[in-house]
């Protein structure tokens, strides 16, 4: 069974600084997707960034980038120039392509609470 | 023009009651999901429907019964509510057609906070 582990229950960063959130996963699949979702206090789940396992290039979305190490099964999220609005719970998630009994379900990590200090 | 909507957003009820949560998506997606987020914020899949057909049922008690009247709707009915059912329930959708491979993104509704007293 696939598992996703976020070993940092809480992280904090100063506004305008950079922070990295860690995520590791376990799978025997070669084709899969990895995601980071953000959940602010409003509880809405917001997709931050997506990485396809077959792509060697790390995904980037504005101030958010990932360090995807497929052999190490590691998928960390780097937030640059942190803003107060980045404060939220961040979830790492794994998914195989649709098809078969798993049919694309997301497997989530435990979450990391990010605090941004002004 | 909300993409994935859920009603109600909050639900407070007594133990033993039966309740339903409704979900609708206007994204034209073919797959819909129910996730449960417990008090420790852990998110876990409950059900998945593809084109109105049940695909995933993750060891959820029989008291939970999903129903998909059409591709755009996936409702969750819960019988004989228990204290342990208190949680936030999220509906999500994704497009997985075209040979079974989609881009993978799932879009989530705002969640329904269920409190069982």
């Amino acid at each position: 069974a696939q598992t996703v582990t976020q070993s940092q229950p809480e992280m904090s960063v100063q506004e305008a600084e950079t922070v990295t959130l860690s995520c590791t996963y376990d799978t025997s699949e070669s084709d899969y997707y990895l995601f980071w979702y953000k959940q602010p206090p409003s509880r809405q789940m917001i997709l931050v960034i997506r990485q396809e396992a077959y792509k060697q290039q790390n995904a980037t979305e504005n101030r958010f980038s990932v360090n995807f190490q497929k052999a190490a099964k590691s998928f960390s999220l780097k937030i640059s120039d942190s803003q107060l609005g980045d404060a939220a719970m961040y979830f790492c998630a794994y998914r195989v392509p649709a098809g078969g009994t798993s049919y694309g379900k997301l497997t989530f990590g435990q979450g990391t609470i990010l605090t941004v200090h002004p | 023009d909300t993409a994935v909507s859920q009603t109600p957003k909050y639900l407070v009820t007594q133990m033993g009651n039966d309740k339903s949560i409704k979900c609708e998506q206007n994204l034209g997606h073919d797959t819909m999901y129910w996730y449960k987020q417990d008090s420790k914020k852990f998110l876990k899949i409950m059900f998945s429907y593809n084109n109105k057909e049940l695909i995933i049922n993750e060891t959820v008690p029989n008291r939970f019964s999903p129903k998909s009247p059409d591709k755009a709707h996936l409702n969750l009915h819960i019988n004989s509510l228990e204290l342990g059912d208190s949680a936030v329930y999220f509906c999500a959708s994704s497009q997985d057609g075209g040979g079974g491979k989609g881009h993978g993104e799932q879009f989530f509704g705002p969640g329904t906070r269920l409190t069982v007293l």
Side-chain angles (χ1 to χ4, degrees), chain B residues 34-51:
Chain B
W34 278 110
Y35 289 87
K36 178 180 179 180
Q37 186 173 40
D38 63 22
S39 58
K40 294 183 179 174
K41 303 288 191 181
F42 188 67
L43 277 149
K44 192 171 179 346
I45 185 76
M46 299 174 70
F47 301 104
S48 169
Y49 270 74
N50 175 259
N51 283 317

Side-chain angles (χ1 to χ4, degrees), chain B residues 76-117:
Chain B
L76 183 64
H77 188 75
I78 316 170
N79 289 327
S80 304
L81 277 154
E82 300 177 357
L83 294 176
D85 297 332
S86 295
V88 178
Y89 292 85
F90 284 98
C91 177
S93 73
S94 63
Q95 178 56 38
D96 294 313
K101 296 239 178 203
H103 291 294
E105 297 102 310
Q106 291 186 12
F107 295 84
F108 283 78
T112 296
R113 180 177 293 283
L114 171 64
T115 303
V116 182
L117 303 174

Side-chain angles (χ1 to χ4, degrees), chain B residues 5-57:
Chain B
S5 60
Q6 291 179 231
T7 52
K9 287 203 172 68
Y10 297 93
L11 188 51
V12 181
T13 188
Q14 298 287 331
M15 234 173 21
N17 284 349
D18 302 339
K19 290 293 178 187
S20 292
I21 306 172
K22 295 186 176 182
C23 177
E24 176 181 1
Q25 55 95 3
N26 62 8
L27 298 167
H29 289 167
D30 59 6
T31 309
M32 296 184 73
Y33 309 81
W34 278 110
Y35 289 87
K36 178 180 179 180
Q37 186 173 40
D38 63 22
S39 58
K40 294 183 179 174
K41 303 288 191 181
F42 188 67
L43 277 149
K44 192 171 179 346
I45 185 76
M46 299 174 70
F47 301 104
S48 169
Y49 270 74
N50 175 259
N51 283 317
K52 303 194 297 176
E53 182 183 345
L54 179 66
I55 300 296
I56 297 173
N57 182 342

Side-chain angles (χ1 to χ4, degrees), chain A residues 55-111:
Chain A
K55 288 188 178 178
Q56 292 188 340
Q57 188 173 6
N58 289 325
T60 300
E61 287 286 342
N62 301 312
R63 298 181 296 108
F64 299 87
S65 61
V66 299
N67 184 2
F68 172 49
Q69 302 288 328
K70 191 172 184 179
K73 295 179 183 170
S74 169
F75 183 61
S76 61
L77 174 70
K78 186 170 88 170
I79 306 174
S80 304
D81 185 25
S82 296
Q83 300 176 358
L84 294 177
D86 295 334
M89 188 139 189
Y90 286 80
F91 291 96
C92 179
Y94 163 99
R95 182 189 189 203
V96 291
T101 55
S102 69
Y103 216 91
K105 70 175 183 180
L106 283 170
T107 300
F108 288 92
Q110 305 91 324

Side-chain angles (χ1 to χ4, degrees), chain A residues 11 21-22 29 37-38 47 51 60-61 63 70 77 82-83 87 92 97 107 113 116:
Chain A
M11 291 285 284
L21 307 184
S22 301
E29 303 284 342
Y37 280 88
K38 169 185 176 181
L47 178 66
Q51 175 81 43
T60 300
E61 287 286 342
R63 298 181 296 108
K70 191 172 184 179
L77 174 70
S82 296
Q83 300 176 358
C92 179
T107 300
I113 298 172
V116 181

